[in-house]
Amino acid sequence: MVPKINRNKEKSFNVNNFSSGVNLRDGILNCLDTQFTEAKNVWYKNGILKTRPGFKPIDFENFEDDIIFDVFASVKNYPNITYVQDGETYFLSVIVCRNRLNFRFYSDKKYIPVCEIEGHLDSNLAFNVFQHGPDIYCFCEGYYQNEETPYYIFKIYNQNGGWNYTRITDDDIYIPTVLINGISDNSGTATLEKLIARGAEYYEDYNILSNKYKMLFSTAEKHELPDKDGNVTSDYMSYGLIYSSANFVGQTVTAKITDYYGYTYIHKVTIKSNSGYQYEENPPNDGKVMAVNGSYVMFFKSGSDVLASVPRTEYVHNNLEITAPRKRNAEECREVLNCTLAEWYGGESDKVNSGAYLFFGGNIDQNKTTVLCRSGADNPLYFPVNSKTYIGGKNGSITALAKQSNYLIVFKENEIHSVEYKGSGQNASFSIKRLHSYIGCDCPNTVKLCRNRLVWLTSGGKVYTMYSSNKYNERLIFNVSQMVEKKLSSHSQSALKKAYAADFQGNYVLQVENIFYLMQYDSYGYVNASRYIKSEDVQLYIPWWIWETPKFITHSCKSDNQDHKNEFVMPNINDVFCYKEKLYFWEVPETFTDGQGTYRLPELFCFEGSDDTVPYLIAQPHMFGVYFSREKYTTQIESVVKTKFYNFKTPLNNKKIKSINLCLGNNNAVPIELNIIADNSNYSEIIILNQDELNSNSPKYYQNIKIINPVNYTSGVMLTLNSLGKINFSALNIIYKEL
């Protein structure tokens, strides 16, 4: 008997997870089965597709007294600068307002006012903040007024449990030892060449920030025995300066002598005239009087005009330290002080207190935008004059500094370079290589290190990652954002350049205006992208999700004064960062003018809970300007997912859909609208799940929703789920018959 084949046998199609994100590139037919053609406010977390957490403002204690009455100009956050108190970790925020710099540490529970620096500081101030050991340094925009006040550098420190700050002065700036192994010289006008010819050696470069330098001399040449007549050769105490003292009236030359017996004496001469001998007024008790004349430092016997001398039998190596003045170069100072980027790099363990070097970039001066400055080892107050360089010439700007593997990566707008550390100590050197000649980063706040690979956005609407720092690796930089570039391209270039990014629970989170883009960097595609021949293929396995938050918050100002605006709008986010596996962002309004001043009111939010909580600020006139009262309202999160058009790999055959089974998690009985889209007809149904919202690990958490005979004649189907509550979508099963 010949068996009879049933051509209309029922078939089953299964999707066991929806972990592959959204695909806006390939249309409704060519996506993966586990991808969505539209996904809003959902992500794949803990083995299930679910609605994102809600965002809410952080309610600090005494919020109105401490936050609302402050009128802010701008906010910049430094999540990498942290402080631990009573087991709680805080991150640093710097607020610029009304000629003040306000430093605060924040957590999700409260904030700690650190200090407030007052001065003649522009509200549009450019500043550079970094950590060195337990201290925080702030380099303010260096407009180099004059030799007396060339910079605004502040050190913020914790002493006995309380915070304070001090302004760095010339006495705090590191004074480098430029020459060592010098010996006496009284053979005429001193010059640098003559000092070196007599045995002196270069040791350190001048410090760009310092108006002083040091030299080390031996007061006598090496030990000699008495001659046959018992005479011992002595060396007169006369030593050359690199710069003539005649140019530094009012400044001081200091000499510290450690003699053969271990005693130390300090001599000081204040230059009062640009000619003739300048003698010290209060010499120490060592039988010598110091004098300075032009380019020489000399020591005379007390009460005599005879030069003092030291017998060679009392030779001590480098026992005379002379500190002398030099003129700072204003242009060099601006190269350091006008920078806005800081990154520690180099040293054996590449840590702040282990011999690392501080790199500065992002100079705001139009002619210095590509300069890269480097400090001395573990010394943020020493920038050697010969340690700066221009990256890739003087065109373009340095936009970001970041570390990857053993390299410091320097981003320009259209180039990428790497800095490599070699050697150690005084023998340390840094080599610079160009990694890419046309891909760069002009969205500097989007650079993040994910799985030891840098990820960043460009204003062209593309996200890149760097898989290697090796110049000779042809597969160096990959585009990883093709799944969402259609959405990214809808933003203006201006909005993209203002974007921020964070590392959040295994996701690279990119914020552009009120849209959050999440890329799962632990995914197979991201980890193995460099193994694929075609980058188009690997994109399918890099999950992206899109979150939308409320686009604006309205503020009303009640006043009889017609100069007050009746309403103004707060665009969504100014800054984004990750702290303790939570995603936070600042929300800052447009400039608001009340007729007396200009105001910005930041608000700190985090993603947490099941609804979106939005603050509502009411502005009213006040004797000191404007008083803001604060209210809140709650909105539900709209979640939307749309699958691909499933044709079960037989697009030319029509099918009868017998049943569709959806595995959904309970959501407190909030309605979910299901739409089944076919060739010529649609099917809709409202799904109500159980009331109890159990833990997702419980077997009773999931329900099977079965739809019987929704579509009779179609080549395939597409499903859409829409809800103002939570969507928890685990799996899909479709039973169909080919006709």
Side-chain angles (χ1 to χ4, degrees), residues 11 45 55 158 173 180 184 220 259 264 315 399 414 425 454 518 527 561 652 703:
K11 298 180 180 179
K45 187 68 175 174
F55 76 95
N158 190 313
I173 297 293
I180 60 173
S184 62
D259 67 13
T264 298
Y315 164 79
T399 55
N414 296 297
L454 291 172
L518 284 77
V527 173
N561 188 341
L652 300 180
Q703 285 184 252

Side-chain angles (χ1 to χ4, degrees), residues 51-55 608-612 635-637 693 724-726:
T51 300
R52 68 162 171 85
F55 76 95
E608 192 174 65
S610 57
D611 295 310
D612 292 341
T635 62
Q636 294 175 306
I637 303 171
E693 186 179 350
L724 289 177
K726 287 187 176 180

Side-chain angles (χ1 to χ4, degrees), residues 12 39 78 91 114 143-144 207 224 238 245-246 292 318 339 364 376 382 430 492-493 509 558 614 618 683:
S12 178
Y78 296 85
F91 66 87
V114 177
Y143 40 87
Y144 198 91
N207 187 356
E224 288 186 3
S238 175
S245 62
V292 177
N318 284 337
C339 287
I364 63 172
Y382 175 38
F430 296 85
S492 67
Q493 274 201 348
V509 180
K558 299 176 181 179
V614 183
I618 307 296
Y683 174 90

Side-chain angles (χ1 to χ4, degrees), residues 527-548:
V527 173
N528 297 284
S530 60
R531 301 180 184 179
Y532 280 73
I533 297 175
K534 293 176 63 179
S535 63
E536 293 83 359
D537 296 338
V538 72
Q539 304 282 337
L540 294 168
Y541 303 99
I542 302 177
W544 281 88
W545 304 101
I546 300 174
W547 294 357
E548 293 187 15

Side-chain angles (χ1 to χ4, degrees), residues 97-169:
C97 69
R98 290 191 173 180
N99 296 328
R100 296 177 301 173
L101 281 174
N102 195 303
F103 292 80
R104 296 180 177 183
F105 281 114
Y106 286 89
S107 75
D108 59 347
K109 296 180 180 178
K110 61 180 180 179
Y111 74 92
I112 300 176
V114 177
C115 67
E116 187 174 85
I117 298 174
E118 296 189 23
H120 298 290
L121 307 175
D122 193 328
S123 60
N124 296 317
L125 182 73
F127 55 92
N128 204 356
V129 176
F130 58 90
Q131 185 174 3
H132 180 243
D135 303 321
I136 299 167
Y137 284 83
C138 178
F139 279 52
C140 296
E141 184 176 326
Y143 40 87
Y144 198 91
Q145 292 178 323
N146 51 58
E147 183 63 26
E148 284 70 37
T149 57
Y151 41 68
Y152 282 104
I153 301 176
F154 300 96
K155 176 182 175 182
I156 302 161
Y157 57 93
N158 190 313
Q159 187 176 36
N160 301 323
W163 288 93
N164 206 341
Y165 77 91
T166 182
R167 181 177 172 183
I168 299 298
T169 66

Side-chain angles (χ1 to χ4, degrees), residues 368-414:
K368 300 177 175 62
T369 56
T370 64
V371 69
L372 183 70
C373 301
R374 172 181 58 80
S375 76
D378 194 29
N379 191 342
L381 298 179
Y382 175 38
F383 282 84
V385 293
N386 292 319
S387 65
K388 63 183 187 300
T389 186
Y390 285 88
I391 300 297
K394 296 188 178 182
N395 296 322
S397 301
I398 293 177
T399 55
L401 303 174
K403 286 180 286 191
Q404 176 169 321
S405 187
N406 295 322
Y407 299 88
L408 175 69
I409 306 301
V410 182
F411 290 92
K412 294 182 66 177
E413 293 169 325
N414 296 297

